[in-house]
Amino acid sequence: SLPVVVGLFVVQVIGSVLRREPGGLVRAVVGVGRATLGAAVAIAATKVALTATDGICAAIAQSAGTSVTGAARRFLDLTWLAGPSTGPVLQILLASAVMVGVVLLWGVLLFRKAAILLVAVFAPIAFAGSAWDQTRVWTSRWIETVIALVFCKVVIVVVFVLGVAAFGSTGSTRTGSTQPLGTQLSDVMVGLLLLGLAVFAPWMTFRFVHWS
């Protein structure tokens, strides 16, 4: 990142001199310091944030008396959907929706992992933008993106745990034919709704981080 920092620093200095703006020279020096420090600690800070996120997720699930895997299994229990009490058309529609939702969530998690690696690689370039007024937004965009990618996992876990709480609040016991038809169908629909929320977790997290 050093050549990029030097190049943007020179551009900032030239522009400040031409505009006779002393504050621009101060921003150039501060930007170089921020770029150097940010490039040095960005990847380490991302690793710490990922570790903290895993701990937060485990703590959330543990506080609800379950685990992340147990919570997902709970609200995606499709025993009733595969039983004889469900019509074939309803089975096809709901099962297809569940399969699409699960594949999308799997793709979201794969995208999150790949995106974190890719964004981390470009951290030095993003912080190098601090040296010039016109590229200073690179740094804030990088920080917003990393925060959204890292902490969207917390949102997904909260959705899973919320699913367990929703089933518990409705008195659902997930015992197949012993439940009324409406209760069994509502459990599947709630699971699909929460699965959809989990799929959009990265986007919702990014919007919230950008707003805040």
Side-chain angles (χ1 to χ4, degrees):
S1 64
L2 187 58
V4 179
V5 173
V6 173
L8 295 179
F9 174 78
V10 171
V11 173
Q12 174 71 11
V13 169
I14 293 175
S16 301
V17 171
L18 293 178
R19 295 192 304 267
R20 298 181 180 180
E21 183 185 1
L25 300 177
V26 175
R27 291 196 299 273
V29 175
V30 173
V32 169
R34 183 187 302 175
T36 305
L37 179 62
V41 304
I43 295 180
T46 303
K47 291 177 63 177
V48 171
L50 287 171
T51 303
T53 299
D54 292 339
I56 292 172
C57 292
I60 291 174
Q62 185 177 7
S63 66
T66 183
S67 63
V68 177
T69 304
R73 185 183 295 116
R74 170 92 178 200
F75 79 82
L76 287 178
D77 183 3
L78 305 178
T79 304
W80 167 79
L81 188 59
S85 61
T86 312
V89 175
L90 191 60
Q91 283 181 329
I92 292 174
L93 292 177
L94 293 180
S96 299
V98 170
M99 287 188 291
V100 170
V102 170
V103 170
L104 287 176
L105 181 59
W106 178 65
V108 165
L109 293 175
L110 286 181
F111 169 79
R112 172 183 179 268
K113 182 177 181 178
I116 288 175
L117 294 174
L118 183 62
V119 171
V121 168
F122 285 98
I125 304 299
F127 280 92
S130 300
W132 186 27
D133 289 341
Q134 303 302 320
T135 56
R136 190 173 302 159
V137 70
W138 293 358
T139 304
S140 61
R141 287 285 185 252
W142 186 90
I143 294 174
E144 290 177 2
T145 302
V146 169
I147 292 176
L149 289 173
V150 170
F151 289 100
C152 71
K153 184 178 179 180
V154 176
V155 179
I156 294 175
V157 171
V158 169
V159 170
F160 285 4
V161 174
L162 179 64
V164 176
F167 293 135
S169 64
T170 59
S172 174
T173 57
R174 314 293 288 180
T175 56
S177 60
T178 62
Q179 293 180 340
L181 177 61
T183 302
Q184 298 163 4
L185 178 60
S186 67
D187 281 358
V188 177
M189 298 304 294
V190 170
L192 283 172
L193 177 61
L194 294 173
L195 187 59
L197 291 176
V199 169
F200 285 99
W203 179 80
M204 292 187 296
T205 308
F206 179 79
R207 296 301 300 172
F208 175 76
V209 170
H210 179 68
W211 170 79
S212 60

